[in-house]
Amino acid sequence: MKRTIIKIDEEKCNGCGQCVTGCHEGALQLIDGKARMVSELFCDGLGACIGECPVEAIELEEREAEPYSETAVMERIATKGEKTILAHLRHLKEHGETGYLQEGVKYLQEHNIPVDLSSIRNKPTAAMMQAHGHHQGCPGSKSFAFAGTETKTIQGDTASQLRQWPVQLHLLNPHAGYFQGADVLLAADCAAFAAGNFHSAYLKNKVLAIACPKLDDGKDSYIAKLTAMINESNINTLTVVRMEVPCCGGLTQLAQIALQQAERKVPLKEIILNVQGEQLTERWI
């Protein structure tokens, strides 16, 4: 299956081992003086190791890889002690991976492994850490869900309805916890700039992905990610918001191809805006 996973540039790697220490899941080891992936099964693709690397030898890429297994990770780290287990669970919480977090806690309960989870329950989310000026790893690709996404009014303006980060389709992990059972909005890059009511009219209560069918490379990757959202994250609906210009029709085509390739079907809606942000049409396809 295609998913986001780390890639190590061995020419840059200086063998310091900081990434190995930062990977609590056990996916990395130092071999022959270089950091190397020892099991795709243990790499969650969230990139905690990126922030530990002093020479920028690690990046995230989209490629064919063995599916991540939270159960396999818990089996591997269960004997390493409470500190390692808690570090792993905090890592999942800070990235909004509530599904994997629940799976990890369930494993502890089923195997009667005593761990004090109070620090997990009280640990600030990544969104809270960002608000206080803290971040780990690459802030552009680090994945997390926002808390408190209800509409608020600030000085007459409606607050952002964004529920997660990142938003660009190339950077999104289609297996992220916030996609589970979600209503997904696939929006053209220009849509939010054209429509002044984009957040309240289109984004509210949805998980966002943005793309440009004309300028972006990697259309096959886009289709694979959308297909994974449908098949594996079990998204509820998919809504495309695009501009009236002909090239933007490619965004709807990407969604339609993904649906054709998917094993399950979800409702697909297309909304077309004119260049001044006014809605022209809305239809279920």
Side-chain angles (χ1 to χ4, degrees), residues 168-170 186-188 209-228 230 238 240 242 247-262 268 270 285:
Q168 213 289 330
L169 191 50
H170 273 311
L186 177 60
I210 65 171
C212 176
K214 181 176 182 179
L215 301 179
D216 293 352
D217 294 325
K219 304 299 191 303
D220 290 342
S221 174
Y222 280 173
I223 293 170
K225 288 195 174 192
L226 292 170
T227 304
I230 297 167
L238 179 59
V240 175
R242 71 173 186 87
C247 59
C248 210
L251 200 62
T252 303
Q253 293 174 7
L254 291 174
Q256 289 177 309
I257 294 172
L259 276 169
Q260 291 170 2
Q261 296 183 0
L268 173 63
E270 179 191 58
I285 301 176

Side-chain angles (χ1 to χ4, degrees), residues 15 23 36 40-41 58 60 73 84 86 95 104 109 122 130 142 149 155 158 172 181 196 212 223 239 256:
C23 180
R36 290 183 178 150
E40 295 177 344
L41 190 72
I58 307 175
L60 295 175
V73 168
T84 299
L86 287 176
H95 286 77
Q109 294 170 342
N122 298 327
Q130 290 280 17
K142 184 174 181 179
T149 55
Q155 296 180 350
T158 301
L172 281 168
C212 176
I223 293 170
T239 299
Q256 289 177 309

Side-chain angles (χ1 to χ4, degrees), residues 93 117-125 128:
K93 181 173 182 179
L117 297 175
S118 60
S119 63
I120 300 297
R121 297 189 180 98
N122 298 327
K123 183 75 176 178
T125 65
M128 294 167 62

Side-chain angles (χ1 to χ4, degrees), residues 74 102-115 117 121:
M74 292 302 296
Q102 292 171 0
E103 187 178 344
V105 172
K106 183 179 179 181
Y107 179 92
L108 296 175
Q109 294 170 342
E110 290 178 345
H111 292 80
N112 297 314
I113 300 173
V115 173
L117 297 175
R121 297 189 180 98

Side-chain angles (χ1 to χ4, degrees), residues 24-54:
H24 304 291
E25 293 71 39
L28 301 176
Q29 287 185 17
L30 276 182
I31 300 175
D32 297 330
K34 298 289 184 180
R36 290 183 178 150
M37 174 89 71
V38 294
S39 176
E40 295 177 344
L41 190 72
F42 302 134
C43 178
D44 55 21
L46 299 178
C49 53
I50 294 177
E52 304 295 336
C53 181

